[in-house]
Structure formats: structure tokens, C-alpha cells
Amino acid sequence: MNTSTSKHDALSCMVAVIVRILLCAFVTLLLSSRNSRGASPSDGGMKVTMPAEISDSLDNPDMGWGLWVGPRYFDGRQFSLDYNTTGFGDDAPLFRWVVVDWMWSDLEPERGQFHWNELDGVLKYWNARGKQFLVRLWVTDDPGWNNAPGNEACPDWLWQSGVHYREYKGEGKSLKREPDYASSSYEKLYLPELRRFLIAFSQRYIKPGGSDLMVQVMGYGQWGEWHTLWSHYPWPSVELKHSVLSRIINVYREVFSATPLAIAYCFDHDTPEVKSLEEFLYRQALDQAVAGKFIMTRHGFIDGLQKWDKSLMERYREQLPFLAEGDWSYSDVKDHGTHGTPDENLDIMLEWHSNFAHFYFDAESYKRAIREDRAFLERGLRSGGLGYRFVLRSASWREDLPAGDLLLLKQTWVNRNVGHSLRPFPLQVFLIDNDGKERFTERDDTFNLTQWFQNEPQTLTSVFHLPRDLEAGIYDLRIAMVEGKETGRINLAIGGVDQQKRYRLGTVRILPPRRGSAKTP
């Protein structure tokens, strides 16, 4: 071997190594220099998180289980204010809303003389415990129940004023009265009195920042179900029926213009004549309710379901919220069959994509359900249950960001449950320092989850504007979905929640602002 050649090769290798070392040092120095001036958009890695999905029962606004309160039960039992409030024994944490049934005759026994005190007490009590309300003011008739004589929904003075009525034998086998809907007195006398009564209710209870109320349209039929199955009211024509029911709906829309309205979509006694879904909607004036985005309430789960109401649900389940009211109760178990088990009812409530569900859980029934049947109530609030349930599958953001830059939060979400949200619940981001202080927060008002349906992944990016004067350092990155007020935040089905219902995703390093960049507006 040539010794001089070997030495030359060794020297060449040594030079190459030295050059590589110097080049690496130069690149490191260059990057360090650039970082000291503020990172460029391509600098730094992405942080990615996949939050742990939890299985806890979750309640949220506009969904879940409802309690029931009223001045008397349908078998004639009288209920006191205490029974309708403290009688439940606790704050009903698995229940987000309350069905409130109250008779016109109880609230205005004499024209212009209102008795609000007991209703005041019920609403105030449950509102203080974070409940929403579905108020059903009984303003036509009650056909009685379970061989009980029933209650008089309309006050006597209304009939004495000249409103015509028809008599029929109710479910309780007693003689009952209903308004004569086709009579001229219905439009000339009844509807103006109904409007006046509803305005009085609205002025007392529908206030900005007050109770979270929904109101059900109740100006036609028995049981609040928008039908006359017991009286078989003889409509002269389909056109007149549509016209009269539309006028009732319009009264409610005018009085409660800023209040969510609900309406029952049960079949009526003339439904066997119906040949299409469009005809069913027209006969019941439900075409008006669909156009108004009403909450669609179906009474009689699970034994009363029929063809056209299921067709309505299937067509509009992604446009409208649905409410399921079960026939099952502990009283029925004793008296005339169970109407299916609680779990069987829940299964079909979920199949019908229900946001809301309730049985007639008065105080005693509620306490018994919590003792004996809590498992099915919890199942209704878990994954696959009532309403909506949002899971953040993944989120990513730049690990290092100069103050004054944009924070882009890329997200993939999924709704695990059978319903959907009625409100957009904008996403809010928070930067929290080492002392637990909130140093930056901003809402993404483009964030709208009302069209997120079961198990359909949703991928989107939220853009937030970091202030230029944000102090450099490492911050916790947390998020929340907020209601109209910033203090109202909904429950998410992921871990990492703090006491203020903010969910921790990870950290972000804030660097000094870029040189020469404009001030954040």
C-alpha cells in the first residue's frame, strides 16, 4: 500500500468531518439568531393532543330528562307548593328541565284576577337550581284520567262570556266541555281572551336574564296533545281545521316571539283519512310549526306511536328538536299495565332521536326512580343517549408563537348522542399562567355545532388573535363551549376539566413579538 496515499485519504476524511461540524454550528447559530428576532410561521413544531373520552352521565341545556310539577295530578290528587319543590328531596342532578302543567282556571279564576303565587314559587325554586322549563298552560279542556272526574281547564267566566262549547264524555267517564272551534265565538271571544291571558303570563315570566322558559302551544284539543281523540270534534272541512289551528299557533308566535315554542305532533281522530305526510302536516297545521322551528313533542311513548308522526320525525330530525313523553309511570304499574319498561321506553326515545324525554315524575315518583331505576336515567345521559354529547377527538396548534400572532387551533369533534344542539355554543380559548391566572381569552363566534349529528366527525379550525403585549412564557391552553353569557359553559365528554368548566389541552410557549410587526387591533 502507498503510505502517502493513505495519509492523504485520512486527512481528507478529517477535513470533511471538521467542515460538517462547522456547518452544523453555523446552522444552529443562524436558527438561534432568527429565534431571538421572533420565529417565522414555518418555525417550531405542532402540538397534538387527543383528550381522553369519559363515560360519565352529562347534562346540558336543551336536552335530557325532565321532572313534572303541577297543582294537581291527573287522578285528582292535590299537590302543594312544598310537594312541587322541597318534596323532591334533592336538586335532581340527573334532570335538566321541568314540565310545568297549570290550568287557566287556577291562574285566572275571575277575569283579570290572577293567582300567580304558587307558580311563582315553583319557577323560582327550580330556576335557582339551574333548571329549564317547558310550560304547558291548559286552556281548552282536560278529559279526565283513570276514572277520575278530571279538572276544569277553562275558567267558568269564559263560558259565561259567550264562548260556545261542546259537551262530551271524557276518559274519566264524566261530562266535559271543550270550546266549539268552528263557532264564530271562538275567534271573536275565545282567541282575544286567550291572547290577553298569554300576554299577562309573558309579561310576568318572559324577561331578559330570567327563567329559561319554553312554552307549548295548547289552544286545541285534549291532554295538551293537539288532538280531540276523546271528543271527536266534527270539523266541517279540512281547510277550516287548518285555518283555525294556524290562527292559534299565530297567537302564540306573536305573544312569545322570542321564546322557544313546542307543539305536539300526535295523530288526531281524523288521521285514518290521511294519505300522505304533507296532508298530516296540513290537517294539524304542523306545516306552520315546522316553518317556525318548533320543538316537536310526541306524547304516548311507546304504545301510541303511529305512521305519520314517525314519518315527520324521520324527515325533520336534523332540522327540529324532538321531545318524547312516556306513558309509563309507577301509578300505571299498579293500575293498568306498564306501557313497557323504563328501558324499553328509553330505547325507542333514542330511536326517535329525542333531545328531551320525560315521564310524569312528580316528587314521589322521582324519589322512587332514583332508588329503584337510577341506571336507566344515567344511561339516557351517557354516550349514545339523549340530546348531544360532544367529544374533542384531537386538537393541534403551534408549539411556539410570538405575541401578536394568530393562534390557530385545529380540531376534530364528534357528537356521540342521538339529538343535536339548539344553540351554537361558541368555542372560547384561554391562556392560563403558572399562577392560575387567566392572561388571554377569546371566543370563536364562527363556531356553530347545531348541525353536528350522531357520530359524524367534524373538522374545523378556530382562529384567535394573540395580543402583542402578552408576556412571554409558557401557558396552559384551555377551551370551553359557552352559552350566551360567558359564565355559562356546557359539559364536554372529555377529561381535564377545571372548576370553571374549562378543559386543558396542553401548553403553548409565547415568544417576544416580531420586530416591526403592527400592533394588534
Side-chain angles (χ1 to χ4, degrees):
M1 176 183 292
N2 189 315
T3 305
S4 62
T5 302
S6 177
K7 290 182 178 179
H8 175 77
D9 290 343
L11 182 61
S12 297
C13 290
M14 186 181 299
V15 170
V17 169
I18 293 171
V19 168
R20 283 199 295 269
I21 292 172
L22 291 174
L23 182 60
C24 288
F26 174 76
V27 170
T28 301
L29 182 62
L30 177 63
L31 290 175
S32 174
S33 174
R34 290 174 64 191
N35 282 339
S36 70
R37 298 193 304 270
S40 70
S42 61
D43 288 334
M46 297 293 292
K47 277 209 170 182
V48 180
T49 185
M50 290 179 285
E53 184 171 350
I54 63 172
S55 60
D56 306 44
S57 296
L58 297 180
D59 75 325
N60 271 315
D62 310 324
M63 59 160 281
W65 294 110
L67 301 171
W68 180 89
V69 298
R72 62 183 66 77
Y73 204 67
F74 301 112
D75 59 5
R77 286 177 289 157
Q78 301 290 311
F79 289 157
S80 67
L81 175 59
D82 286 344
Y83 183 88
N84 281 322
T85 54
T86 56
F88 283 79
D90 60 29
D91 292 347
L94 296 178
F95 291 72
R96 184 60 182 233
W97 57 286
V98 183
V99 182
V100 181
D101 280 330
W102 228 271
M103 303 283 184
W104 189 353
S105 58
D106 289 318
L107 294 173
E108 193 182 12
E110 300 295 334
R111 189 181 187 279
Q113 297 181 15
F114 297 102
H115 293 185
W116 303 114
N117 287 349
E118 191 170 347
L119 181 56
D120 284 349
V122 169
L123 296 182
K124 181 178 180 181
Y125 179 87
W126 289 112
N127 182 56
R129 285 151 180 81
K131 310 301 182 188
Q132 292 177 271
F133 302 95
L134 175 64
V135 177
R136 306 192 299 200
L137 299 170
W138 290 56
V139 295
T140 53
D141 56 307
D142 168 18
W145 179 70
N146 197 22
N147 297 318
N151 309 295
E152 297 303 324
C154 287
D156 285 338
W157 61 261
L158 187 67
W159 311 126
Q160 295 167 5
S161 72
V163 174
H164 292 186
Y165 60 85
R166 294 178 68 256
E167 290 188 328
Y168 68 95
K169 185 172 287 188
E171 185 178 1
K173 312 304 180 185
S174 60
L175 205 60
K176 306 296 295 183
R177 291 182 289 189
E178 70 174 350
D180 189 352
Y181 301 104
S183 165
S184 61
S185 69
Y186 185 80
E187 183 164 357
K188 293 179 180 178
L189 299 175
Y190 176 90
L191 283 181
E193 291 291 1
L194 174 63
R195 182 193 299 271
R196 181 191 55 79
F197 169 64
L198 295 178
I199 288 173
F201 174 88
S202 175
Q203 289 176 341
R204 187 171 189 88
Y205 297 111
I206 309 297
K207 298 175 182 177
S211 300
D212 200 348
L213 284 171
M214 303 170 282
V215 175
Q216 185 156 329
V217 176
M218 295 279 284
Y220 168 65
Q222 287 115 38
W223 291 131
E225 295 177 353
W226 206 241
H227 64 56
T228 54
L229 290 181
W230 290 100
S231 67
H232 286 231
Y233 185 83
W235 289 101
S237 70
V238 173
E239 291 73 23
L240 181 62
K241 181 180 182 182
H242 179 267
S243 176
V244 171
L245 299 191
S246 295
R247 285 200 289 276
I248 300 169
I249 289 173
N250 285 335
V251 168
Y252 277 80
R253 292 178 74 173
E254 292 166 6
V255 173
F256 300 105
S257 59
T259 302
L261 291 174
I263 194 167
Y265 63 104
C266 303
F267 55 92
D268 206 345
H269 70 90
D270 59 355
T271 300
E273 304 169 20
V274 171
K275 305 301 182 186
S276 68
L277 175 58
E278 285 70 25
E279 183 182 350
F280 174 70
L281 294 172
Y282 183 81
R283 281 178 182 255
Q284 301 301 109
L286 293 174
D287 53 347
Q288 307 298 310
V290 167
K293 303 294 184 184
F294 285 19
I295 300 164
M296 308 303 287
T297 75
R298 183 57 172 88
H299 305 214
F301 274 81
I302 59 175
D303 47 337
L305 304 175
Q306 293 197 3
K307 175 180 180 180
W308 299 118
D309 35 87
K310 185 168 187 179
S311 297
L312 183 153
M313 179 276 295
E314 289 172 336
R315 178 179 293 185
Y316 295 108
R317 69 179 182 85
E318 293 187 350
Q319 301 175 36
L320 305 173
F322 283 79
L323 183 152
E325 176 180 293
D327 274 343
W328 180 90
S329 75
Y330 290 108
S331 297
D332 285 343
V333 171
K334 176 182 177 182
D335 297 329
H336 55 269
T338 66
H339 297 287
T341 67
D343 274 302
E344 288 170 338
N345 274 267
L346 175 57
D347 286 342
I348 298 183
M349 290 169 169
L350 299 178
E351 185 179 321
W352 284 54
H353 297 275
S354 303
N355 260 45
F356 306 88
H358 86 98
F359 301 99
Y360 282 91
F361 280 149
D362 63 299
E364 290 306 313
S365 295
Y366 166 77
K367 288 186 285 191
R368 185 170 172 182
I370 294 300
R371 287 196 311 270
E372 301 175 14
D373 294 301
R374 185 184 184 101
F376 98 91
L377 295 171
E378 292 179 339
R379 180 165 76 90
L381 300 178
R382 291 202 170 109
S383 183
L386 300 162
Y388 55 88
R389 182 185 182 94
F390 297 126
V391 176
L392 179 62
R393 299 294 305 280
S394 67
S396 62
W397 62 95
R398 274 200 287 150
E399 190 172 20
D400 297 331
L401 277 170
D405 264 26
L406 298 178
L407 166 60
L408 271 62
L409 183 63
K410 299 179 180 180
Q411 312 141 61
T412 299
W413 293 87
V414 66
N415 174 15
R416 292 297 190 201
N417 283 12
V418 302
H420 63 279
S421 174
L422 310 191
R423 295 181 250 184
F425 296 123
L427 186 75
Q428 189 165 1
V429 72
F430 307 85
L431 295 186
I432 311 298
D433 69 15
N434 289 333
D435 296 324
K437 294 181 180 179
E438 188 177 293
R439 296 299 187 181
F440 168 74
T441 185
E442 187 179 356
R443 283 172 49 169
D444 176 8
D445 288 319
T446 70
F447 194 90
N448 188 336
L449 41 71
T450 57
Q451 297 298 303
W452 293 6
F453 303 112
Q454 189 174 23
N455 292 330
E456 297 179 1
Q458 306 292 328
T459 300
L460 66 155
T461 301
S462 295
V463 180
F464 303 101
H465 306 78
L466 298 177
R468 184 173 168 78
D469 60 358
L470 182 62
E471 186 178 346
I474 296 177
Y475 294 85
D476 263 5
L477 176 64
R478 304 183 195 182
I479 60 167
M481 286 185 184
V482 297
E483 297 183 50
K485 299 176 291 185
E486 286 198 6
T487 54
R489 296 167 186 163
I490 69 171
N491 293 305
L492 304 178
I494 59 175
V497 66
D498 65 18
Q499 293 182 343
Q500 299 180 46
K501 213 175 288 189
R502 301 172 303 191
Y503 293 81
R504 185 179 186 275
L505 302 185
T507 61
V508 59
R509 180 184 291 108
I510 301 301
L511 306 174
R514 302 171 187 275
R515 290 183 179 177
S517 60
K519 291 185 177 180
T520 303

